[in-house]
Short mmCIF file of all heavy atoms in Angstrom, two decimals:
data_model
loop_
_atom_site.label_atom_id
_atom_site.label_comp_id
_atom_site.label_asym_id
_atom_site.label_seq_id
_atom_site.Cartn_x
_atom_site.Cartn_y
_atom_site.Cartn_z
N CYS H 919 -7.56 -8.94 -1.36
CA CYS H 919 -6.32 -9.17 -0.63
C CYS H 919 -6.30 -10.62 -0.17
O CYS H 919 -7.29 -11.11 0.36
CB CYS H 919 -6.20 -8.25 0.59
SG CYS H 919 -4.65 -8.54 1.50
N TRP H 921 -4.34 -11.93 2.20
CA TRP H 921 -4.03 -12.07 3.61
C TRP H 921 -5.27 -11.78 4.46
O TRP H 921 -6.27 -11.25 3.95
CB TRP H 921 -2.88 -11.14 4.01
CG TRP H 921 -1.55 -11.59 3.47
CD1 TRP H 921 -1.30 -12.68 2.68
CD2 TRP H 921 -0.27 -10.95 3.68
NE1 TRP H 921 0.04 -12.76 2.38
CE2 TRP H 921 0.69 -11.73 2.98
CE3 TRP H 921 0.15 -9.83 4.38
CZ2 TRP H 921 2.05 -11.39 2.96
CZ3 TRP H 921 1.49 -9.50 4.36
CH2 TRP H 921 2.43 -10.26 3.66
N ARG H 922 -5.21 -12.13 5.73
CA ARG H 922 -6.38 -12.02 6.60
C ARG H 922 -5.98 -11.43 7.97
O ARG H 922 -6.20 -12.06 9.02
CB ARG H 922 -7.02 -13.41 6.80
CG ARG H 922 -7.60 -14.03 5.53
CD ARG H 922 -8.83 -13.25 5.04
NE ARG H 922 -9.39 -13.83 3.82
CZ ARG H 922 -9.06 -13.48 2.59
NH1 ARG H 922 -8.14 -12.54 2.40
NH2 ARG H 922 -9.64 -14.03 1.54
N CYS H 923 -5.40 -10.26 7.97
CA CYS H 923 -5.00 -9.62 9.23
C CYS H 923 -6.25 -9.36 10.09
O CYS H 923 -7.24 -8.82 9.58
CB CYS H 923 -4.29 -8.31 8.97
SG CYS H 923 -2.96 -8.45 7.75
N TYR H 925 -6.82 -7.20 12.25
CA TYR H 925 -7.15 -5.78 12.45
C TYR H 925 -7.41 -5.04 11.15
O TYR H 925 -7.44 -3.81 11.13
CB TYR H 925 -6.01 -5.07 13.19
CG TYR H 925 -4.65 -5.17 12.52
CD1 TYR H 925 -4.38 -4.51 11.33
CD2 TYR H 925 -3.64 -5.93 13.09
CE1 TYR H 925 -3.15 -4.59 10.71
CE2 TYR H 925 -2.39 -6.02 12.49
CZ TYR H 925 -2.15 -5.35 11.30
OH TYR H 925 -0.93 -5.43 10.70
N CYS H 926 -7.62 -5.77 10.06
CA CYS H 926 -7.75 -5.12 8.76
C CYS H 926 -8.74 -3.95 8.82
O CYS H 926 -9.87 -4.10 9.28
CB CYS H 926 -8.21 -6.12 7.70
SG CYS H 926 -8.28 -5.40 6.06
N HIS H 927 -8.28 -2.80 8.35
CA HIS H 927 -9.10 -1.58 8.43
C HIS H 927 -10.10 -1.50 7.28
O HIS H 927 -10.99 -0.68 7.29
CB HIS H 927 -8.19 -0.35 8.44
CG HIS H 927 -7.19 -0.36 7.32
ND1 HIS H 927 -6.19 -1.31 7.23
CD2 HIS H 927 -7.05 0.43 6.23
CE1 HIS H 927 -5.48 -1.08 6.13
NE2 HIS H 927 -5.98 -0.04 5.51
N ILE H 932 -11.38 -7.13 1.06
CA ILE H 932 -10.65 -8.40 1.01
C ILE H 932 -11.14 -9.34 -0.11
O ILE H 932 -10.33 -9.87 -0.85
CB ILE H 932 -10.66 -9.09 2.39
CG1 ILE H 932 -9.75 -8.32 3.35
CG2 ILE H 932 -10.22 -10.54 2.27
CD1 ILE H 932 -9.69 -8.88 4.75
N GLY H 964 -7.31 -3.13 0.57
CA GLY H 964 -6.90 -4.28 -0.23
C GLY H 964 -5.39 -4.30 -0.49
O GLY H 964 -4.64 -3.64 0.17
N ALA H 991 1.52 -4.42 1.23
CA ALA H 991 2.09 -5.24 2.30
C ALA H 991 3.26 -6.06 1.79
O ALA H 991 3.83 -6.85 2.53
CB ALA H 991 1.02 -6.15 2.90
N MET H 993 3.48 -8.50 -0.48
CA MET H 993 3.29 -9.96 -0.55
C MET H 993 3.70 -10.57 -1.89
O MET H 993 3.82 -11.77 -2.00
CB MET H 993 1.84 -10.31 -0.23
CG MET H 993 0.83 -9.68 -1.14
SD MET H 993 -0.85 -9.90 -0.51
CE MET H 993 -0.88 -8.88 0.95
N ASP H 1011 3.97 -1.87 4.30
CA ASP H 1011 3.60 -2.37 5.63
C ASP H 1011 4.64 -3.37 6.10
O ASP H 1011 4.96 -4.32 5.39
CB ASP H 1011 2.25 -3.12 5.58
CG ASP H 1011 1.08 -2.18 5.44
OD1 ASP H 1011 1.26 -0.96 5.60
OD2 ASP H 1011 -0.03 -2.68 5.17
N LYS H 1013 4.51 -5.83 9.04
CA LYS H 1013 3.47 -6.25 9.99
C LYS H 1013 3.99 -6.50 11.39
O LYS H 1013 3.22 -6.44 12.35
CB LYS H 1013 2.78 -7.52 9.47
CG LYS H 1013 2.11 -7.36 8.12
CD LYS H 1013 0.86 -6.53 8.24
CE LYS H 1013 0.13 -6.42 6.92
NZ LYS H 1013 -1.02 -5.50 7.02
S1 LIG X 1297 -2.68 -7.01 4.18
FE1 LIG X 1297 -3.82 -5.08 4.48
S2 LIG X 1297 -5.69 -5.29 3.22
FE2 LIG X 1297 -4.79 -7.36 3.47
S3 LIG X 1297 -5.88 -8.24 5.24
FE3 LIG X 1297 -3.95 -7.30 5.99
S4 LIG X 1297 -4.55 -5.20 6.61
FE4 LIG X 1297 -6.21 -6.01 5.28
#
Side-chain angles (χ1 to χ4, degrees):
C919 180
W921 288 2
R922 296 292 180 269
C923 310
Y925 56 70
C926 184
H927 51 295
I932 288 179
M993 59 190 69
D1011 286 348
K1013 300 287 183 186

